[in-house]
Amino acid sequence: MISFLDLKAINNEFKADLKAAYEEVIEAGWYILGKQNESFEKEFAEYCGTSYCLGVANGLDALILILEAYKELGVLTDGDEVIVPSNTYIASILAISKAGLKPVLVEPSLKDYLLDPDKIEPFLNARTRAIMPVHLYGQLCNMPAINSFASKYNLKIIEDSAQSHGAIQNGKRSGNLGDASAFSFYPGKNLGALGDGGAITTNDEVLYRTIKALRNYGSEEKYKHLFKGVNSRLDELQAAFLRVKLRKLDESNEKRRQIANFYLNNILNSAVKLPSLNCPESHVWHLFVVRVDERQEFQQFLTQNGIQTIIHYPIAPHKQKAYGEWQNLSYPIAESIHKTVISLPISPILSDIEVKTIVEVINSF
């Protein structure tokens, strides 16, 4: 069976360095907010091209903390509206709800599955305060258009960069294309920890200092609390592991691009709708997602032929029980996407033979 994602094999390539990083943390005897986290924050900020980075517990917390910080600063207030794509992973929407704000769903482009800037304006009103572009599957949204729109209406831009580590647009990386950005280091991400982890990047010093306190019980100085904060910190061990893997992120992203290019050029089955690539460097192919009308039969066929696939994601957010108040709303593009998408293996450790086998099987469907 060709695995969709073999995390053990991926991390085996870093095994010696990961063990050395583990030993370094153990020997230091400091496990929270120590030198490893400080070094990772510096290195990841430099990588993204931002002034600041903050390590946090996970990607969802990263989004929530950005929104909560803006509330503490008076930029957002309870009930304010945040534009978000209707086909995103539910974490983007949960963050808005958890922060006491209102998610406003806007349909994506069927071409690239990303938030369509041309569809945003009809959803604006007096309570609209921010846009949350989600760089879904690893491809950057049309940020020049979104930034221009946000500037026109004085809206904040909060990037959901959970799937786009390292992607570049007009010379800038994901995480440096809005006012603030949230990353996830869930093990399966392009830059994945060996557990949960997340980060926030920004160039706004006031926002940075506010989030820095919020993630640590609302405290800048021990036992003195400025805000009603939370405990959401990237631990030293995960920070050490991420420092090791960050060094080869661009290399592994390039391998993903090579596999994606082979798929794009060699999958010839008309039943399989291939993804659209806007610009090579703006996509890091966290996922290679195709659409197939007969998805169940397609997935069964690949499984029978030794190829594991996963569906990202089978149910549209507005059809989830958690958002029962949206059950009667209609988002036909999102519904079509969620009904037909299926993700092919695109791990950087796939062999050329495995990639060719996947293509041959798909073309014989």
Side-chain angles (χ1 to χ4, degrees):
M1 175 69 76
I2 299 174
S3 297
F4 178 77
L5 185 65
D6 188 341
L7 289 176
K8 182 179 179 181
I10 287 173
N11 287 317
N12 271 342
E13 294 199 349
F14 300 92
K15 195 170 185 178
D17 288 338
L18 291 172
K19 283 186 174 182
Y22 170 82
E23 292 291 342
E24 190 175 342
V25 172
I26 295 297
E27 287 300 317
W30 191 290
Y31 309 115
I32 300 289
L33 295 183
K35 290 183 179 179
Q36 294 291 342
N37 181 71
E38 183 180 332
S39 294
F40 173 72
E41 289 178 343
K42 181 176 182 293
E43 291 160 9
F44 196 63
E46 289 176 352
Y47 178 81
C48 294
T50 58
S51 300
Y52 307 103
C53 170
L54 288 158
V56 296
N58 54 68
L60 176 58
D61 279 5
L63 287 170
I64 294 172
L65 283 164
I66 293 169
L67 295 168
E68 290 286 2
Y70 275 133
K71 287 177 68 178
E72 293 290 353
L73 294 171
V75 176
L76 299 173
T77 59
D78 282 345
D80 280 347
E81 298 186 357
V82 180
I83 299 290
V84 65
S86 59
N87 64 315
T88 184
Y89 180 57
I90 201 168
S92 313
I93 296 168
L94 287 174
I96 299 168
S97 298
K98 288 292 184 182
L101 305 166
K102 181 181 177 181
V104 176
L105 307 185
V106 174
E107 289 273 64
S109 164
L110 191 56
K111 178 186 173 192
D112 57 17
Y113 315 134
L114 302 174
L115 181 65
D116 189 340
D118 294 333
K119 295 176 182 173
I120 297 175
E121 191 160 19
F123 293 88
L124 296 185
N125 60 50
R127 297 306 301 270
T128 308
R129 292 289 182 272
I131 303 173
M132 186 181 289
V134 181
H135 306 312
L136 199 64
Y137 307 147
Q139 182 161 215
L140 296 177
C141 297
N142 184 349
M143 294 307 295
I146 292 173
N147 272 297
S148 176
F149 184 90
S151 178
K152 179 180 178 182
Y153 292 100
N154 195 29
L155 306 175
K156 290 295 182 184
I157 293 181
I158 301 154
E159 290 180 84
D160 185 336
S161 299
Q163 300 184 4
S164 59
H165 314 71
I168 298 173
Q169 190 172 83
N170 295 335
K172 288 188 174 183
R173 288 194 192 270
S174 179
N176 192 24
L177 299 169
D179 295 290
S181 181
F183 288 88
S184 165
F185 302 126
Y186 182 77
K189 303 297 186 183
N190 291 34
L191 179 60
L194 274 68
D196 256 328
I200 295 161
T201 55
T202 185
N203 293 307
D204 184 334
E205 183 179 1
V206 175
L207 182 69
Y208 161 76
R209 294 194 178 281
T210 305
I211 296 171
K212 190 174 183 179
L214 280 172
R215 72 168 179 182
N216 189 37
Y217 301 101
S219 173
E220 282 187 329
E221 183 181 346
K222 197 167 186 179
Y223 303 131
K224 293 184 179 180
H225 303 272
L226 300 173
F227 312 109
K228 296 173 183 176
V230 297
N231 174 15
S232 182
R233 304 169 300 200
L234 181 67
D235 69 71
E236 285 289 279
L237 194 56
Q238 297 306 331
F241 291 156
L242 287 165
R243 291 183 68 200
V244 169
K245 298 180 74 174
L246 178 59
R247 297 169 201 150
K248 291 193 174 182
L249 177 57
D250 286 343
E251 182 181 323
S252 65
N253 280 346
E254 188 55 38
K255 181 61 188 295
R256 289 173 181 270
R257 289 189 179 109
Q258 291 170 9
I259 296 170
N261 285 337
F262 190 84
Y263 283 160
L264 290 171
N265 292 324
N266 292 280
I267 294 176
L268 305 175
N269 192 325
S270 60
V272 179
K273 300 175 183 69
L274 296 172
S276 172
L277 176 61
N278 296 328
C279 172
E281 64 180 4
S282 73
H283 206 324
V284 292
W285 298 101
H286 172 59
L287 298 170
F288 190 95
V289 179
V290 299
R291 287 185 293 124
V292 183
D293 291 335
E294 297 175 341
R295 182 174 66 187
Q296 184 175 351
E297 293 82 358
F298 180 73
Q299 187 170 41
Q300 288 175 348
F301 180 79
L302 266 60
T303 301
Q304 291 165 1
N305 283 275
I307 300 167
Q308 184 185 27
T309 56
I310 295 179
I311 297 169
H312 297 91
Y313 304 96
I315 304 173
H318 68 285
K319 294 296 184 182
Q320 298 284 355
K321 186 176 180 180
Y323 287 96
E325 66 271 26
W326 292 345
Q327 291 293 315
N328 293 325
L329 298 181
S330 175
Y331 295 94
I333 296 177
E335 290 162 20
S336 173
I337 289 170
H338 287 275
K339 185 179 178 181
T340 58
V341 290
I342 183 167
S343 302
L344 306 181
I346 193 166
S347 162
I349 61 163
L350 282 177
S351 69
D352 291 345
I353 292 175
E354 287 175 321
V355 174
K356 289 177 182 177
T357 298
I358 291 167
V359 169
E360 289 171 0
V361 171
I362 290 173
N363 285 340
S364 68
F365 171 70

